[in-house]
Amino acid sequence: MQVGPYPIDPPVVLAPMAGITNVAFRTLCREFGSPTSLYICEMITARAVVERNEKTLHMMSFDADEHPRSMQLYGVDPATLGEAVRIIVGEGWADHIDLNLGCPVPKVTRLGGGSALPYKRRLFANIVREMVAAAGEVPVTFKFRIGIDDTHHTYLDTGRIAEAEGAAAVALHARTASQLYSGAADWSAIARLKEAVTTIPVLGNGDIFTAADALRMQAETGCDGVVIGRGCLGRPWLFAELSAALRGEPIPDGPTLGRVGEILIRHACLLVEHDGEDKAMRDIRKHMAWYLMGFPVGSELRRRFATVTGLHQIEDLVGQLDPDVPFPVDAATGPRGRQGSPQKKVALPEGWLDDPEDDTIPSAADVMHSGG
């Protein structure tokens, strides 16, 4: 698979996830996977880039040997997004830029952003045109959902518009915004998008928890590549399994509990290097349950992992694990992370659904916060 000038081999993409895909986690995934797959930074707000917000610039960190460097932006104003892209390209901060059109959370959609935005076809076309023009030779891609809800599907128009206006690739999370992360992804929508978008790669996302899932998605939909989100939480070695499967090689066995402990420590050390120990410990706590999922670890030890305050404490706790326990097969299947129930109604700006051709920029939509 080719995205702009970059061959993506195997065609695997780490999805941008708020609070997850920082430089530490991306480094860990790259150590297991192929260096020529794509590993996307957590979402960065375009307005924060334009204002050169210090916290946001720190979030935009990449490892010295990370290439291509992939960054995801959020925004709803074509001018702001264009300016952010010009800054990123001009400063040499990234080699690939993606736009978030998939976030379904109310604080984003009620401002007309994320998965609400593609409903406004002309506004979306203006955004693609502005970003592609500002990017020059840097490829720009777009990740979106099926639509707002079951009565407002937008993905086919979104894919066609992106293709026509110069996108390098598109990716579909095969759920609606109203589903959030619940229920099953509708892979048939990926197949329909692949039929509609014929000149650029189409990637599929949703419910890929094993290498077999990735192979099945490609076989059923014809998609050019796969995007991995929740399936790799607490399982960065999934990228080794995906690389093997997509190259027709034997899939490696899951790690023992001792090896998982080593990976957990490596993750924590990378976070400390990036953010310092205090913030790193707050960050690593949310990963603990994912790393230990399915293993026979007692409740008291789990509680202590979930409340760590220092790197040496993690090392001590890992030393208390039985290193020879094999990886539990059941832990490799099924959802991780966010699930929840579907939304009864997606939060949208007043009158948002009245006219899909209205390209008015929603008021107060250019938020400063990054990371989702």
Side-chain angles (χ1 to χ4, degrees):
M1 184 180 73
Q2 192 90 4
V3 175
Y6 305 112
I8 310 303
D9 179 31
V12 176
V13 177
L14 169 63
M17 291 180 280
I20 302 292
T21 57
N22 50 35
V23 66
F25 189 70
R26 295 196 314 275
T27 298
L28 199 58
C29 293
R30 286 171 52 240
E31 288 175 353
F32 284 100
S34 167
T36 53
S37 290
L38 276 180
Y39 305 86
I40 306 181
C41 178
E42 59 184 315
M43 186 187 81
I44 301 297
T45 300
R47 170 54 59 187
V49 174
V50 172
E51 299 292 339
R52 296 180 184 256
N53 177 271
E54 186 175 341
K55 177 183 176 183
T56 294
L57 295 181
H58 178 69
M59 289 173 61
M60 292 161 59
S61 300
F62 289 94
D63 196 55
D65 65 349
E66 190 170 353
H67 185 80
R69 298 162 299 165
S70 294
M71 184 181 299
Q72 188 185 65
L73 292 179
Y74 161 82
V76 297
D77 184 336
T80 302
L81 282 161
E83 181 60 19
V85 171
R86 274 186 285 274
I87 291 170
I88 292 165
V89 172
E91 298 284 355
W93 286 341
D95 307 302
H96 158 241
I97 296 171
D98 185 65
L99 181 66
N100 182 313
L101 298 166
C103 184
V105 301
K107 72 176 181 180
V108 169
T109 59
R110 70 164 50 99
L111 299 176
S115 52
L117 196 152
Y119 185 77
K120 299 294 192 180
R121 293 189 288 260
R122 286 181 56 192
L123 177 60
F124 173 60
N126 294 342
I127 286 172
V128 181
R129 196 176 306 121
E130 189 72 27
M131 292 181 68
V132 169
E137 297 300 314
V138 171
V140 182
T141 62
F142 299 84
K143 182 173 183 285
F144 45 90
R145 288 189 173 229
I146 290 175
I148 292 173
D149 53 34
D150 286 340
T151 58
H152 298 91
H153 284 190
T154 56
Y155 71 106
L156 294 178
D157 282 341
T158 305
R160 292 187 187 108
I161 291 168
E163 180 182 34
E165 297 293 346
V170 293
L172 178 64
H173 181 170
R175 286 181 170 87
T176 63
S178 64
Q179 281 183 271
L180 294 175
Y181 300 90
S182 67
D186 179 7
W187 289 2
S188 67
I190 300 170
R192 287 189 288 273
L193 182 64
K194 177 61 181 170
E195 292 172 354
V197 175
T198 59
T199 64
I200 58 175
V202 173
L203 295 92
N205 174 228
D207 294 353
I208 297 178
F209 302 111
T210 66
D213 292 335
L215 293 176
R216 185 165 58 87
M217 176 184 279
Q218 285 202 308
E220 291 182 8
T221 71
C223 67
D224 299 290
V226 295
V227 181
I228 310 301
R230 295 173 297 155
C232 69
L233 297 177
R235 291 173 63 220
W237 57 85
L238 176 60
F239 287 91
E241 298 172 4
L242 290 163
S243 292
L246 292 171
R247 289 173 171 163
E249 301 168 356
I251 298 173
D253 293 333
T256 63
L257 183 53
R259 177 63 178 134
V260 170
E262 294 172 359
I263 295 166
L264 198 164
I265 292 172
R266 171 67 173 153
H267 190 173
C269 288
L270 288 167
L271 284 169
V272 170
E273 290 176 17
H274 180 53
D275 285 325
E277 191 162 25
D278 286 348
K279 187 176 186 302
M281 293 305 104
R282 294 195 300 272
D283 195 339
I284 196 67
R285 289 172 196 156
K286 65 174 171 278
H287 294 267
M288 295 300 189
W290 297 326
Y291 275 117
L292 300 175
M293 183 180 291
F295 283 105
V297 178
S299 59
E300 175 58 22
L301 195 52
R302 287 180 184 273
R303 185 195 65 78
R304 292 171 64 191
F305 269 108
T307 56
V308 292
T309 57
L311 189 56
H312 290 303
Q313 186 181 4
I314 295 177
E315 293 169 344
D316 289 343
L317 292 172
V318 167
Q320 298 178 43
L321 300 174
D322 182 346
D324 298 323
V325 175
F327 186 77
V329 176
D330 291 347
T333 59
R336 292 164 170 254
R338 294 175 290 186
Q339 296 174 58
S341 302
Q343 304 180 81
K344 293 182 179 178
K345 185 177 182 180
V346 177
L348 299 168
E350 184 68 28
W352 189 251
L353 298 177
D354 292 348
D355 181 7
E357 299 302 324
D358 180 10
D359 61 0
T360 303
I361 300 164
S363 61
D366 241 0
V367 295
M368 279 285 290
H369 63 77
S370 292

